[in-house]
Amino acid sequence: MSTPALRQSSDDGRTNGHSAGLSLNGFFSPRSIAVVGASETSYWGRNIFRNLKAQGFEGRVVPVNPKRRTIFGIPCLASLRDLKEPVDLVYIATPTDFVGSVLDDASSVGIRNAVIIAAGFGESGAHDRQRELQDKAAAHGITILGPNCPGFVNIAEGVSAYGQEIPAGMKSGNVSIVLQSGALATVIMRLARTHGIGVSKLICMGNEAIVDTADVIEHLIADGETRVIAIFAEQFRNGRRFLDLARQALVAGKAIVVLKAGRTPEGQKAALAHTGAVAGDEAVVDAALRQVGVARVRSLEELLITAGLFASGVHIKGARMGAVTASGGACDIIADRASDEGLELPGFSPETRKALADYLPSFATVQNPLDTAAVDTLRETGTPAVPMDVVAEIVSRDPNIDFVLYLGFNVVPQTRPDDAAAEKEAARMAYVRDMLDKSPVAIVPVSLSCMEVGPFARELYDANRIFMLGGIEFGMTALGHCVRWQKARSAALAAGKAETPAPAITLHSSRKGPWSEYAGRKLLEASGVPLVPAELVNDAQEAVIAAEKLGYPVVLKICAAEIAHKSDIGGVALDLQTAEAVREAYERVAAAGRRVAGANVEGVLVSPMRPRGVELFAGVTIDPSFGPTLAVGLGGIWIETLKDVSLRVLPVTQDDIQTMLRSLRASPLLNGARGGPKVDIAKAAAAIHRITQASLSLGDQVQAFEINPLWCLEDKVEALDVLIVTEG
């Protein structure tokens, strides 16, 4: 076990950053466990022993309690210091005030892993106490899960260091669950059991004093027992590291499903520039997770059912879905939900239509979604299959279909019938398993509603490795997540690497607070951003000379770092056609600047007036978790009125930016809708990419970096205005 390096703590006493060299190899697979504070009467101490017994733990268990001789018949030690040899893990179930001394005892006998249940640290405002705990753990080289943490369950290996109830009948599988709320752990396990979802590990994080969520994700990516990582997150404490790990998981073929709490307007923060007003925290979270193929869900049920679909190993080739059901109403629901999830319902091929028409009752309507029109009551198959199974096979062979949504299991008995009927149902499930294995595309069984599957049906499904999606609502959502994940993974594999695109070289600027437009132009120019020509002048005659040099018509703008919104104070004059108009406008614009208290006016910028084109917006702000974030959309006043923006965490590629532009609701305008001006999207993306490089060159000093508008006309692209704010 590597010694965890001391982490830098945040103001709330929680960890901030990754501890270099931290390894969790062996932490979740101990073969010997000591329980300090063990008791036959306390909730935590009692459950630890019950859970270890129920999980079939075969290793050594050492109760520690100075007031007991034995616990559940096991000899009890007075202190960890009485151990003859170290154990792999200590579960500390003592009151808060005793935790530090127990860590001292653990260190003295060579124990290097600990779970701490006690609360009263950072979560209650006792940040100094949590920092002291971190310092002590680092000094002793002890890896801590918690504090304020009920522990973990490793069902795959029959190990638990968990102080709450573990529901009986948990199924071992390849979904690992990470929770930033220990109180949800038991209900999550019950949900998994209800829907037949096999769990490898469930890990509660607590206050993350040493081990944080990213550490656990990194461990699970390398864990051979884990195929899917399901996460309940209250916050991303190191968003950029999470994104790096999510990219690794995507390329490795391990899906990450996240339920992120806190989706409220109060959680959104306004920034100084337009980007912050439009892109609150939750919009950034959505964009960041989508960017790396993470499925973001909205409920515990969706979290588990989506994870279960990924864990089933189903491979969905594309978004074209064929749906087979025995209910016309279900067809209606499926059609609506397919639209919600971006799934297609293509028409069947002529060959499929003929095969279905020959097999279904004459009154059936052959269309997608397909109502089988009571075919099960009118036909015999001559095999263990029911007629609906045959229909699903026919649809699965259609060349227009990427996968089949199959609602054909709703008549499977929930409780064991008589022996003859049970044998018949078992034969059918074996036939279906063979059908699923041989199908040219995935056939995905779905139940009509999200209800608990009875014991007999579950026995059949488990015996034949059949995963039943829990209801049309959650099932369709899970399928949408799966299709999007497959697309994201294909793109990641095509890119040939999991690494984030390299950022620009960091510059060190001495500027603090808002920059003047002139200073901002200098930075953009150095970064290769195409700019509208401009000259800074300080009297009316200089303005006229500049206008004649640049060519009429021209624009005049006041230039002062303290004046961000020039139009609001009369600091802009447009479409000036003559020298006299320039002289008059100069005096008016300059006077407007002088009236602004505290403004350090550098002069007036003169630029040529550009003809009508398409105005874009490109802005970068700093998200507190994910860092520099790019927003693109229509520019000018439209950025605030339409709020039609696309977001990505930086750095990004030019291809990424083209995708962002094409994803806008207003993207038809970029293609010259209704005879309007067109945009060379590749050139616009190249300019925006240079803008992002310019913003990244300022490192963590950037607060806002905004180009509005970025003028585009055919193959011409120019930044017309720039707003930069750096940390003051």
Side-chain angles (χ1 to χ4, degrees):
M1 176 65 66
S2 301
T3 300
L6 177 62
R7 294 174 185 253
Q8 180 182 359
S9 298
S10 63
D11 289 341
D12 67 356
R14 294 175 186 260
T15 57
N16 183 15
H18 177 49
S19 47
L22 177 62
S23 171
L24 295 177
N25 293 332
F27 188 98
F28 301 111
S29 305
R31 302 316 306 163
S32 54
I33 300 174
V35 182
V36 180
S39 170
E40 295 168 333
T41 57
S42 74
Y43 177 80
W44 304 105
R46 180 177 67 247
N47 282 337
I48 284 287
F49 287 89
R50 288 180 175 175
N51 290 334
L52 286 168
K53 182 177 180 180
Q55 293 297 304
F57 182 64
E58 297 177 352
R60 181 164 58 110
V61 181
V62 182
V64 179
N65 188 328
K67 299 180 180 179
R68 299 285 192 274
R69 298 287 299 275
T70 62
I71 302 288
F72 293 108
I74 304 173
C76 189
L77 300 181
S79 167
L80 286 174
R81 294 177 186 268
D82 296 331
L83 281 168
K84 302 301 183 184
E85 59 181 277
V87 293
D88 295 333
L89 176 78
V90 57
Y91 190 95
I92 303 175
T94 66
T96 304
D97 291 341
F98 294 93
V99 169
S101 63
V102 174
L103 288 179
D104 293 335
D105 295 344
S107 176
S108 72
V109 292
I111 299 173
R112 293 293 177 258
N113 298 315
V115 175
I116 301 175
I117 179 56
F121 291 90
E123 88 290 343
S124 64
H127 306 312
D128 290 342
R129 173 177 275 174
Q130 181 149 315
R131 276 186 283 269
E132 290 171 2
L133 179 69
Q134 291 170 324
D135 292 344
K136 184 180 287 288
H140 289 323
I142 297 177
T143 299
I144 289 175
L145 185 65
N148 189 29
C149 170
F152 69 86
V153 181
N154 183 345
I155 294 174
E157 298 182 40
V159 180
S160 67
Y162 184 71
Q164 298 180 137
E165 176 191 357
I166 298 176
M170 289 291 296
K171 178 182 173 183
S172 179
N174 48 31
V175 175
S176 285
I177 302 167
V178 184
L179 301 174
Q180 288 184 347
S181 172
L184 291 176
T186 299
V187 70
I188 286 280
M189 285 189 277
R190 286 175 178 159
L191 272 172
R193 182 187 62 184
T194 294
H195 293 287
I197 297 166
V199 175
S200 175
K201 298 173 181 67
L202 180 140
I203 302 166
C204 301
M205 299 307 306
N207 291 5
E208 305 191 11
I210 295 293
V211 177
D212 65 19
T213 298
D215 295 327
V216 172
I217 293 170
E218 184 173 40
H219 172 76
L220 294 175
I221 291 172
D223 178 32
E225 301 294 330
T226 298
R227 176 181 286 173
V228 183
I229 304 170
I231 304 168
F232 172 79
E234 294 174 329
Q235 60 179 304
F236 295 105
R237 293 174 184 143
N238 188 334
R240 297 195 70 80
R241 185 180 172 215
F242 174 83
L243 295 185
D244 287 342
L245 291 170
R247 289 187 187 94
Q248 293 175 31
L250 186 64
V251 172
K254 294 195 176 186
I256 296 180
V257 187
V258 170
L259 172 56
K260 167 67 171 61
R263 295 185 297 111
T264 62
E266 291 77 11
Q268 298 179 352
K269 302 181 184 298
L272 295 178
H274 291 146
T275 312
V278 175
D281 288 347
E282 283 304 305
V284 174
V285 171
D286 275 340
L289 298 187
R290 187 167 56 249
Q291 196 169 329
V292 292
V294 172
R296 185 178 186 184
V297 300
R298 305 296 184 185
S299 68
L300 294 176
E301 292 85 354
E302 188 183 340
L303 177 73
L304 266 296
I305 291 171
T306 301
L309 178 63
F310 279 118
S312 71
V314 66
H315 177 70
I316 296 178
K317 297 190 295 185
R320 301 176 304 168
M321 179 178 74
V324 177
T325 177
S327 165
C331 289
D332 298 338
I333 297 170
I334 290 167
D336 286 340
R337 291 293 289 113
S339 178
D340 295 339
E341 296 298 332
L343 303 176
E344 303 170 29
L345 289 164
F348 295 130
S349 69
E351 294 79 10
T352 301
R353 291 181 59 83
K354 182 179 186 308
L356 290 172
D358 290 344
Y359 194 80
L360 294 173
S362 59
F363 53 84
T365 301
V366 178
Q367 63 182 16
N368 188 18
L370 178 65
D371 176 2
T372 58
V375 67
D376 279 358
T377 65
L378 301 175
R379 272 192 177 273
E380 292 291 337
T381 65
T383 71
V386 300
M388 278 191 70
D389 300 333
V390 176
V391 173
E393 286 186 275
I394 294 171
V395 172
S396 73
R397 295 192 291 268
D398 191 293
N400 298 335
I401 299 300
D402 293 321
F403 70 97
V404 179
L405 174 75
Y406 183 37
L407 285 91
F409 286 176
N410 296 292
V411 295
V412 176
Q414 299 302 298
T415 57
R416 177 174 289 276
D418 60 63
D419 290 346
E423 184 177 340
K424 182 178 179 181
E425 292 293 342
R428 182 203 171 189
M429 286 301 105
Y431 180 96
V432 168
R433 178 67 263 169
D434 187 62
M435 176 182 79
L436 298 181
D437 290 339
K438 293 178 179 178
S439 174
V441 298
I443 300 176
V444 184
V446 184
S447 61
L448 277 170
S449 64
C450 184
M451 59 186 179
E452 183 167 1
V453 177
F456 179 66
R458 175 62 60 216
E459 177 186 329
L460 292 180
Y461 297 158
D462 288 348
N464 292 281
R465 298 176 289 107
I466 293 172
F467 176 66
M468 174 70 67
L469 272 175
I472 297 175
E473 174 62 29
F474 294 121
M476 291 293 295
T477 305
L479 286 165
H481 287 309
C482 191
V483 167
R484 290 185 287 274
W485 182 84
Q486 296 280 10
K487 183 177 180 180
R489 183 162 191 260
S490 296
L493 292 174
K497 59 181 182 179
E499 294 81 16
T500 303
I505 297 173
T506 300
L507 302 176
H508 297 283
S509 171
S510 59
R511 294 181 182 273
K512 304 295 182 183
W515 291 28
S516 71
E517 184 176 350
Y518 185 73
R521 286 176 58 88
K522 290 294 184 184
L523 175 61
L524 294 180
E525 186 178 27
S527 301
V529 178
L531 293 161
V532 64
E535 292 198 13
L536 186 68
V537 301
N538 286 284
D539 62 41
Q541 184 57 31
E542 287 183 0
V544 171
I545 294 171
E548 292 177 348
K549 176 183 176 182
L550 295 168
Y552 291 105
V554 295
V555 177
L556 268 60
K557 296 184 286 184
I558 195 69
C559 184
E562 296 78 13
I563 304 175
H565 300 289
K566 308 171 187 71
S567 299
D568 295 350
I569 64 149
V572 177
L574 303 174
D575 200 19
L576 304 173
Q577 303 278 352
T578 66
E580 186 58 34
V582 169
R583 288 190 183 91
E584 186 277 329
Y586 176 86
E587 299 298 342
R588 175 163 39 87
V589 168
R594 288 192 295 269
R595 287 193 294 269
V596 177
N600 180 24
V601 177
E602 297 180 11
V604 173
L605 282 170
V606 183
S607 297
M609 183 83 178
R610 292 308 188 205
R612 175 176 173 247
V614 176
E615 293 185 347
L616 297 178
F617 167 91
V620 176
T621 53
I622 306 300
D623 181 81
S625 180
F626 294 103
T629 303
L630 170 68
V632 299
L634 288 186
I637 64 172
W638 303 115
I639 186 66
E640 292 174 335
T641 55
L642 295 181
K643 295 181 171 58
D644 178 19
V645 295
S646 181
L647 299 168
R648 287 222 179 188
V649 174
L650 297 182
V652 293
T653 65
Q654 292 185 35
D655 288 344
D656 292 333
I657 298 170
Q658 289 195 47
T659 300
M660 294 172 73
L661 291 169
R662 291 191 173 98
S663 72
L664 296 170
R665 295 193 305 274
S667 62
L669 297 178
L670 309 185
N671 297 317
R674 293 185 173 271
K678 294 183 179 180
V679 174
D680 186 324
I681 292 179
K683 284 199 171 182
I688 295 171
H689 185 258
R690 294 189 187 101
I691 291 166
T692 67
Q693 294 296 91
S695 71
L696 289 174
S697 74
L698 296 175
D700 57 7
Q701 298 177 60
V702 174
Q703 289 186 329
F705 199 110
E706 174 181 305
I707 308 299
N708 188 18
L710 181 70
W711 174 78
C712 305
L713 182 61
E714 301 294 346
D715 62 346
K716 301 180 182 66
V717 179
E718 290 178 341
L720 301 189
D721 202 353
V722 56
L723 171 65
I724 299 176
V725 182
T726 48
E727 202 170 69

